[in-house]
Every structure is written in C-alpha cells, then in structure tokens.
Amino acid sequence: MSGSASIDDLLTFEEERPRHDDRDSGGRAGRVFRALLGNAALVAVLVVGLRAVGLQISLAILVAGVFAVSAVRRVAAALAPPPAARSRARLAQDDDGTWNWGARDALRAAINGWELPLDWSTTRPERFTGVILPRLAELADERLRLKHAVTRESDPARARALLGDRLWTFLETPPRRPPSPRDLAVIVAELEKI
C-alpha cells in the first residue's frame, strides 16, 4: 500500500469506463496527418510574419521549434488532470431554509461513491475484498499517517497497537464473506477513532 493517496482520492469512486475520445474518429493516421498539416500551416504563417517584419530565421530551426512546442503541448494535455465535474445549479439567493435534495454536495457524492460498491459486495463477495477492503486499508493508512506519522507498512508494530487487534486482523486477513452492516459499522467506528 502506498501512502500517496489523499482522503479525497479514497472517498471518490468511479467505475472504470472506456474512454471515448472525439478525436479518435479518424484513427491514428488521421490524427498524425492533422497534426502535421497544422504544424506546416503554423510554420508557413510564422515564415510570412517574420519576413513581413524583416526577420529571417533558418527554416530548419523554425520547423524544429514548432514541432517541439506542439509535442510539449500534446504531452502536457495528455498528463493534465481530467476536468472537474460541473456542479449543478447553485441554491437560489432567497434561501427558504429547506434542504435542496436536488443539489449535489461532496458528502452526498462520497456516500454514493461507497454505496454502489458496498451494494455489489452483497451479491459478489470478491468485490468486497477487491474494492472495499483495499479502500478501507488505504483509509486506515491515511489516518495513521496523518495523526501518528506511521503506516502499516512503515511501522507494523506501532500501527497494530494503534489500530487494535480486531481492525488489524480485518485489514490484514481478508474475510471469506463480506461483514454484516453492523460489523462494518463497528469497523468504521474503530477507523474513526484512530
């Protein structure tokens, strides 16, 4: 377990879906052709612009520069984080004091993010050990790291003492079947006490 995940990362859940990119419609050859054509057009515009102001730069340097900037731009776009989800309409200025159930807040999103995998684990026990248990272990490590500057991997003896035998055993030896909601509530309460 790596300790590099944040609480926000641990509380979000998205089912893995295949990425559909609008640019894939022409295939790889089409994308390469469009990129070459765009870079060639940019080089032509730069040559004309530079000559119009009386500057001359080697064509090879100009082409290399345009392609380098284009490559950096594409790599940066590929490594950029996905755009944040658009929030729904804000509450009206005239707040009448009632709860807006249609609004999506972070707590509701986190709860719903756990609800789906927990529901799946009732019918497919392997989902619990494959999805929920690793998240609970990451949460335990994150809480240990934040409050006590240890993880289960860095200092197992101290982590075991802080977690307690029941929680330590639950996290280290996956159960054969998912725990009942009552048992899971006890485990979560123990996690919160860390």
Side-chain angles (χ1 to χ4, degrees), residues 32-50 59 62-63 66-67 70 74:
V32 169
F33 180 72
R34 283 190 301 274
L36 289 174
L37 191 62
N39 287 342
L42 184 59
V43 167
V45 168
L46 286 173
V47 166
V48 169
L50 289 172
L59 186 60
L62 193 59
V63 169
V66 167
F67 276 88
S70 176
R74 290 182 187 279

Side-chain angles (χ1 to χ4, degrees), residues 3 6 15 24 32 34-35 47 51 53 69 100 111 120 135 146:
S6 71
E15 185 67 27
D24 288 344
V32 169
R34 283 190 301 274
V47 166
R51 297 238 170 128
V53 295
V69 169
N100 182 358
I111 290 169
W120 286 340
R135 283 185 174 183
L146 290 173

